[in-house]
Structure formats: C-alpha cells, structure tokens
Amino acid sequence: MSKTVDYYLAPQSPWTYLGHQRFVNIAKAAGATVRVLPMDLGKVFPISGGLPLGKRAPQRQAYRLVELARFGKALNLPINLHPKFFPVSGDPAAKLIIAVDMHHGTDAALAITGAVLSAVWHEERDIADAATLAALLNEHQLDAACLALSDTPEVQARYDAATQSAIDTQVFGAPTYMVDGEMFWGQDRLDFVAQALAA
C-alpha cells in the first residue's frame, strides 16, 4: 500500500527550493501520495519559537548563507544568495499552488511549486507579483484561470487550514515532510524520508 506524505512548504523558502525536486523524485519512486500543503510561516513562527530572517542573530544569518551556498554546490543547483525579490510575501504564490492543486491535481501543484521556488532563488522574479504568477502558469501550460481562483475564499480557507494543520502537527519550519505521523524537517533529511517511504 502506498504511503502518504504531507509536504508542508513555504514558497519563498530557500531550503524548500533546495529540496523540492529531490523530494518529488523520491516520492514518485516510492509511489507515494503527496499532499501539497503551503503554509503561512508568519503564523507558524510566533507559535513555534521561530524568528523571521531579519530578526535572527547576525551569526545565524551569516551561517545560513554559508550553508545555502554549500548545499547549492553539493546538489548542483543554482542559487542566488541575495535574490532581488527577497524577502517576499509567500501568500500569493502559496494560494496559487493551492488553486493549481484544486484545478489540475497534485502533479501540477508540485510543478508550479518548483517553478515558484526557482523564480525566487534562481531567476530573480517577484513571486508576489500577479504578472509573474500568470507567466509561470503560462510557462507550465496551466490554466490561466488558476490565478483568479487563487484569490477566492475557498482557496484562502484551504491555506488557513494547511497553516493550522502545520501548527497542530507542531511543524516549525519549511520544508517539513510528515510520513505516517513521523516528522522530517529540512531538505537535508530527505534520505530519511526515502527510508521511511521504503519501509
């Protein structure tokens, strides 16, 4: 029987970017079902003790850049450590991912998630801008109507529910992968996710 992974993500997170395609490949190889759950880190952090990047201690901010560069090199993924459009609100992109999931299904939601992440961390694009989001839909042959859908109460309710689910599950950062109730935080735990899916 295939397993289900709850994939809690933030579309502006560099760590989600670094792990996204590997996670998609691992889940596909395992025949796992993925629930794509964009969450609002602005609501998760205050409850879980996390701090927005700008409020973290200087030494933590400095080491974050070292680690991002290190993982980018190790994974052969291009990453701009100081993207033009960051910090950026993740809400519009998160709601677009949910709209694509509702309209096209999981595979398309995972594809647009990858596109959004790459837009921030590689392509110097503003994922809070509606024109950018419309262009990403077009580039992936997804229905342009998803942009309007993303601005509906139904999508907002799903976004709120995913965020509350993250809080209830004691998620505290992105990406987080939940397999059979077991939490794996961070793209550097994907080997353990693969093992859990294979068990």
Side-chain angles (χ1 to χ4, degrees):
M1 190 174 81
S2 72
K3 297 191 176 185
T4 297
V5 186
D6 286 346
Y7 178 26
Y8 291 99
L9 65 100
Q12 73 276 41
S13 157
W15 307 108
T16 305
Y17 164 67
L18 287 170
H20 179 73
Q21 192 56 51
R22 277 187 303 145
F23 168 66
V24 170
N25 295 344
I26 287 167
K28 186 174 182 180
T33 298
V34 177
R35 295 205 315 151
V36 184
L37 298 168
M39 59 179 170
D40 184 350
L41 280 180
K43 294 179 179 175
V44 172
F45 274 167
I47 292 169
S48 63
L51 289 173
L53 180 61
K55 294 185 177 180
R56 294 176 199 166
Q59 56 269 50
R60 286 180 177 267
Q61 293 192 43
Y63 187 70
R64 168 184 171 275
L65 295 176
V66 171
E67 282 278 80
L68 288 174
R70 187 176 285 154
F71 274 107
K73 184 177 179 181
L75 298 168
N76 198 30
L77 274 176
I79 183 166
N80 185 339
L81 299 181
H82 301 283
K84 184 177 179 181
F85 298 102
F86 186 85
V88 62
S89 170
D91 295 344
K95 292 192 285 185
L96 183 70
I97 292 164
I98 293 166
V100 169
D101 197 2
M102 290 167 58
H103 189 73
H104 289 287
T106 303
D107 288 349
L110 289 168
I112 200 68
T113 298
V116 164
L117 291 162
S118 184
V120 181
W121 293 103
H122 176 44
E123 298 166 7
E124 301 281 43
R125 297 165 82 178
D126 182 3
I127 62 164
D129 177 62
T132 299
L133 298 179
L136 292 173
L137 287 172
N138 182 58
E139 288 160 23
H140 287 78
Q141 290 81 53
L142 298 170
D143 193 336
C146 288
L147 189 59
L149 178 60
S150 73
D151 203 28
T152 62
E154 183 181 1
V155 167
Q156 183 65 52
R158 289 201 184 201
Y159 187 33
D160 292 341
T163 301
Q164 189 59 50
S165 173
I167 291 167
D168 294 345
T169 311
Q170 301 188 348
V171 168
F172 52 87
T176 295
Y177 319 94
M178 297 290 300
V179 184
D180 290 344
E182 185 174 1
M183 181 187 295
F184 302 88
W185 170 56
Q187 56 84 31
D188 51 342
R189 304 301 193 274
L190 278 170
D191 287 348
F192 294 129
V193 172
Q195 291 171 18
L197 291 175

